[in-house]
């Protein structure tokens, strides 16, 4: 893969990304952090995989009493290096893996739960299906952004940092995601939403593997 085809996420600095996400007019970093606490606490799992972990937002809610393994997956090696530095106290619990999910999904380890926040927008439902099939989690918890006004990147001084994402971005639709998950035998379990500034909202959708649901496990 030549440089011209690099994943655009590899070109965005963590500083620019996080400064944009935490602006008062955006407030997605803060909202995600709060919502991730709920994701980590909702299900009886000891191994979780966070897709698109970026700088580790939300990892402060990882309890060493509950989890024995946390995988952090991201395409940007610099993001992962900073995550490892920030959360050094998680030690051997946290394992970061640099990977482009659109090309290397089959290299992922298995995990009991996948957390995918603002991630499916950039790989598409078909690629996400492939990832879930390979990892075989009991539970999948996703947060997607729904735009109720024009534009999927909130206006900010950092707006043009994200220009390169246009070529990999997919507009998200709840029904399409639910259908994609149903096709690989995951049923929707929970739904909640968080209203953001600028006419956007974050929607959390949780899914459970049908074989788990049918046996009554983890309810």
């Amino acid at each position: 893969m030549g440089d011209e085809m690099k994943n655009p996420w590899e070109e965005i600095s963590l500083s620019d990304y996080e400064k944009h996400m935490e602006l008062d007019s955006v407030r997605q970093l803060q909202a995600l952090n709060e919502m991730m606490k709920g994701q980590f606490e909702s299900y009886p799992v000891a191994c979780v995989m966070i897709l698109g972990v970026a700088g580790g937002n939300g990892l402060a809610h990882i309890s060493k009493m509950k989890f024995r393994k946390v995988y952090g997956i991201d395409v940007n090696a610099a993001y992962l290096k900073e995550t490892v530095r920030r959360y050094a106290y998680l030690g051997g619990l946290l394992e970061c893996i640099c990977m482009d999910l659109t090309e290397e999904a089959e290299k992922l380890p298995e995990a009991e739960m996948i957390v995918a926040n603002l991630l499916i927008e950039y790989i598409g439902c078909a690629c996400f299906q492939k990832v879930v099939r390979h990892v075989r989690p009991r539970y999948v918890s996703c947060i997607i952004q729904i735009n109720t006004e024009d534009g999927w990147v909130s206006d900010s001084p950092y707006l043009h940092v994200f220009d390169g994402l246009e070529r990999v971005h997919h507009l998200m639709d709840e029904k399409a995601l639910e259908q994609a998950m149903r096709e690989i035998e995951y049923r929707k379990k929970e739904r909640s939403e968080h209203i953001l500034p600028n006419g956007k909202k974050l929607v959390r959708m949780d899914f459970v593997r049908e074989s788990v649901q049918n046996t009554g496990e983890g309810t």
Side-chain angles (χ1 to χ4, degrees):
M1 189 158 80
D3 281 350
E4 72 280 358
M5 290 300 289
K6 275 180 90 168
N7 189 302
W9 276 109
E10 295 177 75
E11 311 289 336
I12 298 171
S13 80
L14 185 61
S15 173
D16 284 349
Y17 172 65
E18 291 184 337
K19 283 175 180 171
H20 168 80
M21 292 283 281
E22 68 187 4
L23 285 170
D24 281 343
S25 59
V26 181
R27 295 195 66 79
Q28 287 195 18
L29 209 67
Q30 299 91 324
L32 283 169
N33 188 293
E34 184 184 316
M35 293 172 82
M36 287 177 81
K37 184 175 192 290
Q39 288 177 307
F40 294 145
E41 292 176 354
S42 290
Y43 302 107
V45 295
C47 176
V48 63
M49 179 180 290
I50 304 162
L51 303 178
V53 71
N57 186 33
L59 285 178
H61 304 301
I62 290 290
S63 164
K64 287 184 171 182
M65 300 291 287
K66 174 175 181 174
F67 290 99
R68 56 176 173 73
K69 193 71 180 180
V70 178
Y71 293 106
I73 314 295
D74 208 282
V75 72
N76 189 310
Y79 292 5
L80 295 178
K81 187 175 179 182
E82 180 60 14
T83 294
V84 169
R85 188 193 69 78
R86 289 175 178 177
Y87 299 93
Y89 67 88
L90 289 176
L93 187 73
L94 175 64
E95 181 180 338
C96 288
I97 302 171
C98 187
M99 180 184 295
D100 187 333
L101 294 172
T102 63
E103 298 187 350
E104 305 173 289
E106 71 284 350
K107 295 181 183 176
L108 288 166
E110 290 194 354
E112 293 173 293
M113 179 178 178
I114 281 179
V115 169
N117 299 336
L118 305 187
L119 177 281
I120 307 168
E121 286 91 329
Y122 299 104
I123 65 172
C125 285
C127 178
F128 189 59
Q129 285 178 317
K130 188 177 175 184
V131 169
V132 174
R133 274 200 187 105
H134 183 75
V135 177
R136 298 192 72 253
R138 292 160 62 191
Y139 305 100
V140 177
S141 184
C142 314
I143 294 175
I144 61 175
Q145 176 182 300
I146 302 295
N147 307 312
T148 50
E149 294 178 6
D150 292 341
W152 53 274
V153 176
S154 297
D155 192 24
S156 90
Y158 304 96
L159 182 65
H160 292 295
V161 168
F162 302 98
D163 285 351
L165 297 179
E166 283 282 0
R167 66 181 171 85
V168 294
H169 186 261
H170 305 70
L171 279 174
M172 288 308 298
D173 174 74
E174 286 186 57
K175 286 189 172 63
L177 177 57
E178 191 173 343
Q179 174 61 29
M181 294 301 285
R182 193 179 296 123
E183 286 170 8
I184 56 171
E185 299 183 343
Y186 282 78
R187 294 281 174 190
K188 188 168 78 173
K189 185 174 175 65
E190 303 286 347
R191 181 200 180 278
S192 59
E193 61 181 54
H194 186 114
I195 304 299
L196 296 167
N198 287 0
K200 298 182 186 344
K201 64 182 177 181
L202 296 179
V203 175
R204 173 180 162 188
M205 298 174 71
D206 289 7
F207 301 88
V208 59
R209 199 169 69 218
E210 286 194 318
S211 57
V212 175
Q213 199 169 38
N214 293 343
T215 59
E217 260 189 89
T219 52

